[in-house]
């Protein structure tokens, strides 16, 4: 179950936006086995993260009420975890992400576009990292707003950026656009994937500007190649 982001808890009722009428959800096609955005195969990335050297001081919950079972693992160049995917619809309101389609909608994201506006969950593939705490502080491992990520699900590789911050004890969330591109139902009320999603975030990477998906893809392809080669 998705909860309100840390941004909303801090910002309160700031950045109010008018509700938009909900539109019918597009049919989500079955995920193919082909690559989505790069020349690094999903199987090669998954082989690279098969073994976990845990860097978190404990484990995260994938949802409230569940057992804490998700560890954050690390290599020299990346951190990764394997979890579910809850839908983050926060940011700029649109026909798919607004107060009518998502009861937990927030018009704010922890990180902003170069023009100062919130990110758009509908248009931008981004992932959510937990707020820094005693279990894990993402910034200690070079994970910040705009860091480049590869998200793997059922043979698909989707490049994204770190775009929002979630609750301290939970992990496993990504934007509407990320889910849709991976063939996951992106509906913020009942969509998402219960398991099987691998998140790989490359340390000290940066997509500039953060709202440019093309920049994330270009950097992600290069970093993924280096990652699977063990460099």
């Amino acid at each position: 179950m998705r909860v309100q982001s840390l941004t909303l808890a801090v910002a309160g009722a700031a950045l109010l936006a008018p509700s938009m009428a909900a539109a019918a959800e597009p049919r989500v096609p079955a995920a193919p086995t082909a690559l989505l955005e790069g020349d690094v195969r999903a199987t090669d990335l998954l082989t690279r993260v098969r073994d976990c050297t845990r860097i978190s001081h404990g484990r995260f919950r994938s949802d409230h009420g569940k057992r804490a079972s998700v560890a954050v693992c690390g290599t020299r160049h990346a951190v990764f975890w394997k979890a579910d995917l809850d839908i983050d619809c926060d940011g700029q309101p649109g026909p798919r992400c607004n107060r009518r389609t998502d009861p937990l909608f927030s018009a704010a994201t922890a990180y902003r576009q170069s023009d100062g506006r919130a990110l758009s969950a509908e248009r931008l593939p981004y992932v959510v990292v937990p707020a820094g705490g005693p279990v894990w502080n993402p910034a200690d491992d070079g994970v910040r707003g705009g860091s480049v990520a590869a998200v793997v699900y059922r043979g698909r590789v989707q490049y994204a950026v770190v775009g929002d911050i979630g609750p301290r004890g939970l992990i496993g969330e990504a934007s509407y656009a990320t889910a849709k591109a991976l063939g996951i139902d992106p509906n913020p009320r009942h969509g998402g994937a219960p398991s099987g999603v691998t998140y790989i975030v490359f340390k000290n990477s940066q997509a500039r500007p953060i709202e440019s998906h093309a920049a994330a893809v270009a950097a992600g392809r290069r970093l993924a190649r280096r990652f699977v080669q063990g460099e």
Side-chain angles (χ1 to χ4, degrees), residues 81-167:
W81 57 93
K82 302 174 184 180
D84 63 346
L85 191 151
D86 293 324
I87 308 299
D88 189 326
C89 231
D90 295 341
Q92 297 178 38
R96 308 295 180 190
C97 293
N98 57 70
R99 295 189 191 285
R100 290 190 63 183
T101 62
D102 181 3
L104 298 177
F105 176 77
S106 168
T109 51
Y111 304 107
R112 294 175 174 269
Q113 296 183 164
S114 55
D115 63 3
R117 294 190 298 164
L119 303 178
S120 169
E122 283 188 23
R123 298 191 301 271
L124 181 68
Y126 69 71
V127 301
V128 181
V129 296
V135 176
W136 181 52
N137 183 9
D140 290 345
D141 288 292
V143 174
R144 301 175 178 84
S147 291
V148 179
V151 188
V152 184
Y153 181 72
R154 292 187 177 178
R156 287 189 173 192
V157 179
Q158 173 68 24
Y159 294 110
V161 294
V162 172
D164 208 356
I165 294 175

Side-chain angles (χ1 to χ4, degrees), residues 10-223:
V10 174
L15 299 174
L16 292 177
S19 297
M20 294 186 172
E25 283 294 328
R27 178 179 176 272
V28 178
T33 56
L35 290 174
L36 185 64
E37 291 192 308
D39 55 356
V40 176
R41 297 183 303 173
T43 53
D44 291 336
L45 286 168
L46 293 178
T47 296
R48 188 72 175 86
V49 299
R50 183 172 50 200
D51 299 323
C52 173
T53 299
R54 195 173 78 185
I55 60 172
S56 58
H57 304 288
R59 298 176 185 269
F60 290 92
R61 301 178 190 276
S62 59
D63 291 294
H64 280 301
K66 289 192 174 181
R67 180 174 61 89
S69 61
V70 181
V72 178
C73 312
T75 70
R76 180 181 176 187
H77 294 296
V79 301
F80 62 91
W81 57 93
K82 302 174 184 180
D84 63 346
L85 191 151
D86 293 324
I87 308 299
D88 189 326
C89 231
D90 295 341
Q92 297 178 38
R96 308 295 180 190
C97 293
N98 57 70
R99 295 189 191 285
R100 290 190 63 183
T101 62
D102 181 3
L104 298 177
F105 176 77
S106 168
T109 51
Y111 304 107
R112 294 175 174 269
Q113 296 183 164
S114 55
D115 63 3
R117 294 190 298 164
L119 303 178
S120 169
E122 283 188 23
R123 298 191 301 271
L124 181 68
Y126 69 71
V127 301
V128 181
V129 296
V135 176
W136 181 52
N137 183 9
D140 290 345
D141 288 292
V143 174
R144 301 175 178 84
S147 291
V148 179
V151 188
V152 184
Y153 181 72
R154 292 187 177 178
R156 287 189 173 192
V157 179
Q158 173 68 24
Y159 294 110
V161 294
V162 172
D164 208 356
I165 294 175
R168 184 171 288 179
L170 298 178
I171 202 166
E173 188 175 358
S175 69
Y176 180 105
T178 306
K180 184 178 178 181
L182 289 169
I184 295 170
D185 180 0
N187 188 295
R189 290 181 181 269
H190 56 67
S195 62
V197 182
T198 300
Y199 302 79
I200 304 168
V201 184
F202 302 106
K203 294 180 178 180
N204 300 308
S205 60
Q206 191 73 35
R208 291 189 176 90
I210 188 174
E211 68 269 22
S212 171
H213 183 53
V217 171
R221 288 174 172 171
R222 173 178 54 82
L223 293 165

